[in-house]
Amino acid sequence: MRAAIASRILVGVAAPAAAIVLASPATAYPSGEIPGNGVFRVGTEIAPGIYHTQGPVNPRFMCTWITRRTVGGNDIADGNYAQGPQYAKVPVTVVVFETFGCQPWTPA
């Protein structure tokens, strides 16, 4: 009897977990464009991929982007800042994409 209950519990837990892992990312920005300022979760708010921006909103300042391995952590995986156009690679292995002072990002 305990084995039957345990197998029902495990099946109920394993099925939703598999659905979460296998589901394609739902993006908060269906057009694929990412605003130039903000912190975005990869896989739920934005899709992984390569993005391009024309550079900073104000040419006197820098356009900055960072990818992080955890939310709220100080574990920067990659990043850059520039006064001109740039590309950002957002791999599936990161959790957060942050961008500041940039024009919108579009899929490359």
Side-chain angles (χ1 to χ4, degrees):
M1 174 85 168
R2 283 188 174 161
I5 293 171
S7 67
R8 283 188 225 152
I9 292 171
L10 290 176
V11 169
V13 172
I20 292 169
V21 172
L22 300 175
S24 61
T27 59
Y29 304 95
S31 68
E33 184 174 280
I34 303 170
N37 284 305
V39 179
F40 307 95
R41 286 184 172 256
V42 178
T44 55
E45 295 180 314
I46 65 167
I50 298 174
Y51 293 89
H52 178 260
T53 181
Q54 290 299 320
V57 173
N58 184 333
R60 296 183 327 171
F61 298 103
M62 298 285 188
C63 162
T64 304
W65 66 270
I66 299 169
T67 55
R68 296 184 187 273
R69 292 182 187 93
T70 60
V71 176
N74 197 22
D75 54 346
I76 296 172
D78 198 4
N80 196 21
Y81 58 92
Q83 285 185 306
Q86 56 181 318
Y87 289 87
K89 182 177 182 182
V90 181
V92 297
T93 55
V94 299
V95 177
V96 174
F97 175 72
E98 298 180 32
T99 175
F100 308 99
C102 302
Q103 294 182 47
W105 293 86
T106 55

